[in-house]
Amino acid sequence: MLSNRCVIGFLNTGGKGVHGNLTSLRDVRRVFVWNNNNSSSSSSSSSSSCETMRRSQGVVVRASSSSSSDENTNSGRAIRTKFLNFYEKKNHAILPSSSLVPEDPTVLLTIAGMLQFKPIFMGQKEREVKSATTSQKCVRTNDIENVGVTARHHTFFEMLGNFSFGDYFKKEACAWAWELSVKELGIDKERIWVSVFETDEEAFAIWRDEVGVPEARILRMGAEDNFWAAGPTGPCGPCSELYYDFKPELGVEGVKDLNDDSRFVEFYNLVFMELSRDADGKTTPLKNKNIDTGMGLERVAQILQKKPNNYETDLMMPIIEKACAMAELKYDECDEKQKRMLKVAADHIRAVTYLISDGVFPSNVGRGYIVRRLIRRVVRSGKLLGMKEEGDSKTFTSAIAKVAIELSTECDPNVMKRSEKIYAELEREELGFKKTLANGENLLADIIARAKKDKNGVTGAEAFLLYDTYGFPLDITTDVAEDNNVEVDVEGFETEMEKARNLARAAAKTVDVTTGDALARVADDLNNDEHSAFIGYDSLFSRESKVLAIVNPKTGEMLERAREGDEVDVVLSQTPFYAESGGQIADVGVMVIEDSNTEVHVLDVQKAAGGRIISHRVRVESGEIVAKTSVLETKVDKDSRRRAKANHTATHLLQSALKQVMGDDVSQAGSLVSFDRLRFDFNSSRGPKPNELDEIEALVNEWIFDSTNLEVAEMPIADAKAKGATMMFGEKYGDVVRVVDVPNVSMELCGGTHVSNTSEICGFKILSESGIASGIRRIEAVAGPAVIDLVNSNAQVVNTLTKSLKIKPEEIPDRVKSMQKDLLEQQKLAEKLRGELAVAKASSLKSLAESHPSAQTQVLVAKMDEFVAPDALKVACESLLKSLGPDALVLLASASDDNTKVAIVCAAGDDAVKKGLNAGKICGATAKACGGGGGGKPNFAQAGGRDASNLAEALAAAKANAFETLN
């Protein structure tokens, strides 16, 4: 089955003939599983109209109307255009490719053209158009080791598809597929074979009697090849596939199936979604029958352009040619290994180009790790091929990516718009990996050498060390090992990986696990109409908050009551307290019982049981509370809430300012909204410049002073998207969302608390900006009352300085500069005096120099009586060498009184170096004997140690080594 299939069952992985990276196009249905219980109800086709859907990526999708006379009629671009135009004429709406980051939370990446239509096919959403056609960008990485090895494996590919949502069915789908393939694209009909499900007599008859395919070229195949299912239950139906025959001269006799990759390639798949299967395995006809198809663009290009593989088509060959030029190679003259690495580089650079464009940046987890892994495979391939950087660039990946970006305009125009971001991410990642690669390759070389010597291969522990410490994906380790005819214990690697996972799981366990179970039981025990209602958007006070449950947070035990001094978790029927979420910390405050001495302090608030209940961590200060009985007055601390609201709204303004100043590709990576400050993490390959930080801060304050009323509303998520609301990347949202809008400034999906008018924020001040991880920056700032706190704190510091220095506030900067200058001069003077003192002390050691009897080279190895700092020791060593002449070597060492610090300096004259003496090696060996390390060049070296107990022996060994070298 063609890889446009929406995969929903893990049944088998047999078969051949690959698109993407599956063993066969049909296998996509066996690898990815639809989770009917958790699947998202939204999709990129959920806009209120077809036109909205077409504009969902910022452009109206329209197939090119240019005639084929101005381009190769068999080019990838022409094939794509013909396909879309063909189905548009058949009344299909041309819809845009969805992002490679799917809205479906059960799938990591977009792996099929039908993914955006899943809610419609699964009956979770009403159709908005009767039929549609797309060119969908897809990424799959589950069989990455075959990229470049076979003719058709890819990580990135385009899937052309046509879809019917209860409109047309088998007859039209088959007729149009044949018409498109033969008449529109010009594929030789004598080379086309068709497969049908073994019991699908209707499809067989349509192909034979109505389309006119010779019966000998229509094969009946089993469920493994030609039946699609949405899992054990749900929609399912037979498939029919079109194959191209590369070797028609072999005839039709004896062909039992179409899985011979050397002869056949599946290029078009049709799924007839006509049945529904229940838990007993019984199937009944669907009321609305659907069509889901997929045509691999790269495969059709290979067929029409008459190329031996997909890589040599115009969709990828320009990238390969660029890589060849950078490696000073000619593709036709390359051996198979070189061609494989060129194909890997071309395929992977296409994938990462589109992924980064869609907001997936290199990291060590999830989608980001896929991008990092692909880039690293490109870098390693380029390094082995000898690719050289161009011009002033320190990297080569961005130059290859430039070609991929130029080829992307028809597939996704946004890639070109985001090219600078793509280049920046590639450059940063390549430079970082080259450093890691150097360290890891040295270790891997040692491991390979050991494995060859011992003849027992690379152990699982060694492979995991390379993965865990040096970032080497297992496939890189196995590639290098294979090149050296060494085996890798992959099973042992997986064992080590599982150990690491178990440690991580164990480290994550806390007493809260028990508490969470108890709170889940609380939710189960509540009546259907009982839950924790949050009323805190409108009020900070409630008189009727009934205690639904009390839980011991340490044991998870359900309690009947809590008394003075107890710290417990309390579930209320309604609460004004905001539970920690969306980066905003929980409210604090008090609870009391009217006409009683009971007072309870609220320390923390958390949601539990999927948000159905809200748990308050409280300390009972006096009196007692009783489960199912007590009714509390609840009061949120007004000042804390005011501070949290100001900081939270300020984060929204900050994100808008960052996008305006640094570019739209800036996206939120996390946040913290507390009472005293805010923290905002964002994805960016560079930090803002000082003047940009000033501009960002000024923008936020300008919006604050504009005194704009916020507009907060709940609406369907589709409407929020249509309005352009910003969403947190990777965050899961429900069908109905809360939108916080600062008109003409910011619109975000957010459940937090906010000011009513921006003027309530009062002011905004950035405290710091820094990088906290690869590609992630952090801004810490204050807003609202915290700004006044900051001003007061800074004023106190200024007052203290003016009194101490007896100057005016405006004179502080000049006075500090003056003091820094004086201090620097004093430090230089002290350093000079220490050096002169060390020279004076060392001059007495000159007489200890020994002359080699034959080489006539003087060797002076000595320890200073007192500890001398490394810089002063260097001055002394150079002074002694100067007095002894160019045919001498001097090594001086000193140790601290407690023998825990050793300084070593070694210098050799030019003539001594010519005779084989090497200051770096001698110095390094001496330091190693003292528990340290260091070294340098043949003429001069410095090192240090942590244990002076062996210093005497080390110095003796250094002298002996020097004399032995001179013999």
Side-chain angles (χ1 to χ4, degrees):
M1 173 180 299
L2 201 67
S3 50
N4 197 27
R5 295 294 43 73
C6 170
V7 196
I8 335 196
F10 194 24
L11 307 176
N12 197 343
T13 52
K16 300 179 183 179
V18 200
H19 187 84
N21 47 359
L22 298 181
T23 307
S24 75
L25 298 189
R26 62 184 68 86
D27 288 340
V28 64
R29 72 177 182 275
R30 306 184 187 110
V31 178
F32 295 87
V33 181
W34 290 143
N35 184 330
N36 292 334
N37 293 326
N38 298 321
S39 61
S40 170
S41 63
S42 59
S43 79
S44 54
S45 63
S46 61
S47 306
S48 59
S49 68
C50 175
E51 186 65 16
T52 302
M53 295 168 71
R54 294 186 181 201
R55 296 183 181 273
S56 65
Q57 291 187 336
V59 293
V60 174
V61 179
R62 173 71 56 178
S64 172
S65 60
S66 59
S67 67
S68 58
S69 62
D70 61 347
E71 63 174 334
N72 181 352
T73 57
N74 291 330
S75 69
R77 176 184 178 185
I79 295 167
R80 185 191 300 110
T81 299
K82 288 178 180 179
F83 185 97
L84 297 176
N85 283 345
F86 176 84
Y87 280 104
E88 186 179 37
K89 293 175 183 177
K90 304 292 185 184
N91 296 318
H92 288 59
I94 301 179
L95 301 182
S97 168
S98 61
S99 169
L100 287 172
V101 180
E103 294 183 6
D104 186 336
T106 67
V107 184
L108 191 66
L109 294 169
T110 297
I111 47 84
M114 69 83 67
L115 197 57
Q116 63 172 301
F117 305 120
K118 171 191 166 184
I120 301 174
F121 286 132
M122 301 298 288
Q124 300 165 345
K125 177 177 172 24
E126 293 296 322
R127 70 180 186 182
E128 293 175 357
V129 293
K130 291 182 177 181
S131 52
T133 182
T134 65
S135 176
Q136 175 65 52
K137 52 190 178 183
C138 303
V139 168
R140 297 194 196 129
T141 58
N142 59 302
D143 201 12
I144 195 173
E145 66 274 6
N146 281 327
V147 172
V149 177
T150 71
R152 293 175 286 278
H153 267 93
H154 298 300
T155 55
F156 176 87
F157 56 94
E158 280 188 70
M159 186 60 65
L160 305 171
N162 56 286
F163 310 92
S164 168
F165 312 117
D167 184 16
Y168 59 88
F169 201 51
K170 286 184 188 179
K171 181 177 180 180
E172 294 87 350
C174 294
W176 292 342
W178 187 263
E179 181 185 351
L180 171 71
S181 300
V182 175
K183 296 182 179 179
E184 194 71 27
L185 296 178
I187 297 176
D188 185 353
K189 66 179 182 179
E190 302 301 324
R191 288 180 174 239
I192 297 178
W193 290 63
V194 175
S195 70
V196 297
F197 183 50
E198 54 193 358
T199 61
D200 191 353
E201 297 297 339
E202 181 185 5
F204 190 95
I206 291 172
W207 286 117
R208 183 191 60 193
D209 303 333
E210 299 189 34
V211 176
V213 181
E215 187 170 334
R217 294 208 306 273
I218 306 175
L219 294 189
R220 301 176 186 269
M221 299 173 72
E224 181 180 347
D225 296 299
N226 280 71
F227 194 89
W228 174 86
T233 61
C236 56
C239 309
S240 185
E241 298 155 337
L242 275 63
Y243 288 79
Y244 182 80
D245 187 354
F246 287 103
K247 300 175 182 178
E249 66 276 8
L250 296 179
V252 298
E253 296 297 327
V255 178
K256 302 293 185 182
D257 58 47
L258 300 169
N259 292 327
D260 180 0
D261 276 357
S262 65
R263 178 174 178 180
F264 300 107
V265 59
E266 174 199 346
F267 68 90
Y268 205 174
N269 178 75
L270 317 176
V271 173
F272 310 128
M273 208 179 300
E274 61 183 347
L275 303 171
S276 180
R277 184 158 53 195
D278 62 22
D280 296 327
K282 180 182 178 181
T283 59
T284 55
L286 283 173
K287 180 180 179 181
N288 293 319
K289 299 179 180 181
N290 304 314
I291 291 293
D292 167 21
T293 81
M295 172 183 278
L297 176 61
E298 288 81 5
R299 293 186 175 198
V300 177
Q302 179 199 351
I303 293 169
L304 295 179
Q305 295 174 24
K306 296 180 171 53
K307 299 295 181 181
N309 54 69
N310 294 357
Y311 296 92
E312 295 181 30
T313 67
D314 67 337
L315 294 166
M316 297 184 68
M317 197 61 193
I319 308 174
I320 292 176
E321 289 172 341
K322 179 63 177 180
C324 282
M326 297 181 72
E328 298 180 355
L329 297 171
K330 292 183 178 180
Y331 182 75
D332 292 339
E333 298 175 2
C334 290
D335 58 32
E336 289 306 310
K337 183 177 179 181
Q338 289 174 318
K339 286 184 177 180
R340 175 169 60 85
M341 288 187 289
L342 287 165
K343 292 173 183 176
V344 166
D347 170 87
H348 290 4
I349 208 70
R350 281 213 308 169
V352 298
T353 293
Y354 285 91
L355 282 165
I356 294 173
S357 175
D358 278 353
V360 184
F361 305 118
S363 70
N364 287 328
V365 294
R367 301 179 182 97
Y369 178 68
I370 291 175
V371 175
R372 173 159 287 168
R373 183 185 183 197
L374 293 175
I375 294 175
R376 288 183 170 187
R377 284 173 62 89
V378 174
V379 173
R380 184 173 180 273
S381 295
K383 189 171 182 288
L384 293 174
L385 287 166
M387 289 188 196
K388 297 179 177 61
E389 298 79 9
E390 292 183 335
D392 297 330
S393 176
K394 297 179 181 179
T395 63
F396 58 79
T397 51
S398 54
I400 311 172
K402 183 178 181 180
V403 181
I405 291 171
E406 289 170 349
L407 294 172
S408 71
T409 53
E410 291 291 319
C411 176
D412 181 2
N414 288 321
V415 175
M416 181 66 77
K417 297 176 185 177
R418 297 163 186 161
S419 59
E420 293 305 315
K421 179 66 174 177
I422 296 169
Y423 298 145
E425 289 294 327
L426 285 171
E427 182 174 348
R428 179 176 57 79
E429 191 65 19
E430 180 180 339
L431 290 174
F433 183 53
K434 280 180 177 177
K435 295 178 182 177
T436 302
L437 197 62
N439 296 330
E441 282 183 334
N442 291 336
L443 176 59
L444 182 55
D446 292 340
I447 291 173
I448 294 292
R450 192 273 312 150
K452 283 185 173 181
K453 180 181 178 181
D454 298 342
K455 297 182 180 179
N456 60 356
V458 177
T459 68
E462 289 169 332
F464 183 74
L465 174 66
L466 287 162
Y467 166 82
D468 194 44
T469 304
Y470 295 95
F472 267 45
L474 178 62
D475 55 306
I476 287 185
T477 300
T478 53
D479 283 350
V480 176
E482 183 180 343
D483 292 342
N484 287 272
N485 297 315
V486 171
E487 292 186 356
V488 177
D489 181 6
V490 176
E491 185 175 338
F493 171 86
E494 295 297 341
T495 300
E496 295 295 325
M497 179 71 82
E498 187 58 29
K499 287 180 183 178
R501 293 192 186 107
N502 290 336
L503 286 173
R505 293 188 194 108
K509 291 182 179 178
T510 68
V511 294
D512 287 335
V513 174
T514 306
T515 304
D517 290 341
L519 292 172
R521 291 197 299 273
V522 170
D524 291 340
D525 292 341
L526 295 178
N527 297 325
N528 291 333
D529 59 344
E530 287 185 315
H531 64 279
S532 298
F534 176 62
I535 61 172
Y537 290 134
D538 303 314
S539 175
L540 299 183
F541 177 80
S542 170
R543 287 188 180 275
E544 299 180 348
S545 294
K546 182 180 178 181
V547 177
L548 299 179
I550 304 174
V551 179
N552 185 323
K554 294 181 179 179
T555 65
E557 178 188 2
M558 305 290 288
L559 303 175
E560 181 181 344
R561 65 187 68 239
R563 295 184 173 90
E564 182 175 332
D566 290 344
E567 190 169 303
V568 295
D569 288 328
V570 177
V571 178
L572 301 178
S573 60
Q574 66 176 18
T575 177
F577 287 88
Y578 180 81
E580 179 181 349
S581 61
Q584 181 177 332
I585 67 172
D587 283 329
V588 294
V590 298
M591 303 177 181
V592 299
I593 297 180
E594 192 173 14
D595 300 327
S596 166
N597 69 337
T598 298
E599 182 175 328
V600 179
H601 285 191
V602 178
L603 310 175
D604 187 26
V605 189
Q606 298 289 331
K607 294 179 181 178
R612 187 180 174 202
I613 62 176
I614 299 176
S615 174
H616 305 71
R617 178 67 53 85
V618 304
R619 184 173 59 248
V620 182
E621 300 294 340
S622 60
E624 70 172 11
I625 53 176
V626 182
K628 303 293 186 181
T629 301
S630 294
V631 177
L632 303 174
E633 289 186 4
T634 51
K635 304 174 184 178
V636 174
D637 182 80
K638 292 182 179 180
D639 182 62
S640 298
R641 171 66 78 85
R642 180 167 57 247
R643 289 169 174 265
K645 290 197 302 183
N647 281 329
H648 203 152
T649 305
T651 62
H652 286 212
L653 302 182
L654 173 58
Q655 176 162 216
S656 291
L658 279 165
K659 288 179 175 291
Q660 185 164 321
V661 174
M662 297 186 64
D664 284 335
D665 57 348
V666 169
S667 61
Q668 182 177 348
S671 67
L672 172 66
V673 176
S674 65
F675 306 136
D676 58 344
R677 66 178 55 205
L678 65 91
R679 186 180 73 208
F680 188 82
D681 299 340
F682 59 99
N683 294 298
S684 179
S685 59
R686 68 173 183 88
K689 300 172 184 176
N691 65 305
E692 289 179 323
L693 272 180
D694 292 341
E695 187 178 351
I696 289 165
E697 186 178 283
L699 263 176
V700 174
N701 281 310
E702 179 183 331
W703 292 329
I704 290 171
F705 301 148
D706 282 343
S707 299
T708 303
N709 288 324
L710 273 70
E711 298 175 3
V712 180
E714 290 190 349
M715 63 184 70
I717 190 170
D719 293 348
K721 291 177 183 179
K723 289 177 177 291
T726 299
M727 303 181 189
M728 175 71 175
F729 182 76
E731 187 77 14
K732 295 179 181 179
Y733 299 100
D735 293 339
V736 178
V737 294
R738 184 170 182 262
V739 177
V740 177
D741 183 14
V742 184
N744 302 316
V745 176
S746 165
M747 183 188 294
E748 296 191 31
L749 271 59
C750 181
T753 62
H754 290 271
V755 299
S756 299
N757 185 287
T758 57
S759 62
E760 296 173 37
I761 303 175
C762 299
F764 174 81
K765 182 65 182 176
I766 293 176
L767 301 177
S768 65
E769 192 282 332
S770 62
I772 60 170
S774 179
I776 299 179
R777 312 291 302 182
R778 170 172 292 172
I779 285 179
E780 296 199 48
V782 291
V787 173
I788 298 174
D789 296 341
L790 176 67
V791 171
N792 290 337
S793 176
N794 289 344
Q796 289 180 357
V797 173
V798 171
N799 289 337
T800 301
L801 287 173
T802 55
K803 289 178 181 178
S804 299
L805 300 174
K806 296 180 173 55
I807 58 176
K808 298 177 181 179
E810 61 269 21
E811 295 174 348
I812 291 177
D814 289 338
R815 176 59 63 89
V816 172
K817 288 180 182 178
S818 176
M819 293 172 68
Q820 288 176 324
K821 182 179 179 182
D822 291 344
L823 179 60
L824 183 60
E825 290 176 352
Q826 293 300 320
Q827 288 174 337
K828 288 181 178 179
L829 178 60
E831 185 178 329
K832 179 182 179 183
L833 291 173
R834 283 194 295 267
E836 291 175 352
L837 180 61
V839 170
K841 290 179 178 180
S843 61
S844 62
L845 301 175
K846 183 177 179 181
S847 60
L848 300 178
E850 298 181 36
S851 180
H852 189 275
S854 59
Q856 299 302 309
T857 296
Q858 295 189 82
V859 176
L860 173 56
V861 178
K863 176 191 173 188
M864 304 287 287
D865 291 336
E866 298 178 1
F867 181 73
V868 179
D871 289 342
L873 198 63
K874 174 186 175 183
V875 174
C877 184
E878 291 174 337
S879 175
L880 279 172
L881 180 64
K882 185 176 181 181
S883 64
L884 290 173
D887 199 355
L889 178 139
V890 178
L891 186 149
L892 296 181
S894 68
S896 59
D897 293 339
D898 60 0
N899 284 338
T900 60
K901 184 182 294 185
V902 181
I904 306 167
V905 178
C906 186
D910 291 340
D911 293 343
V913 172
K914 291 177 182 178
K915 293 178 181 179
L917 293 180
N918 188 308
K921 291 183 179 179
I922 295 173
C923 186
T926 307
K928 188 175 182 180
C930 297
K937 299 179 179 179
N939 285 93
F940 181 80
Q942 280 183 287
R946 296 182 297 274
D947 182 8
S949 61
N950 295 326
L951 182 56
E953 293 83 352
L955 293 178
K959 183 191 296 184
N961 182 24
F963 272 81
E964 184 178 345
T965 302
L966 293 169
N967 285 336

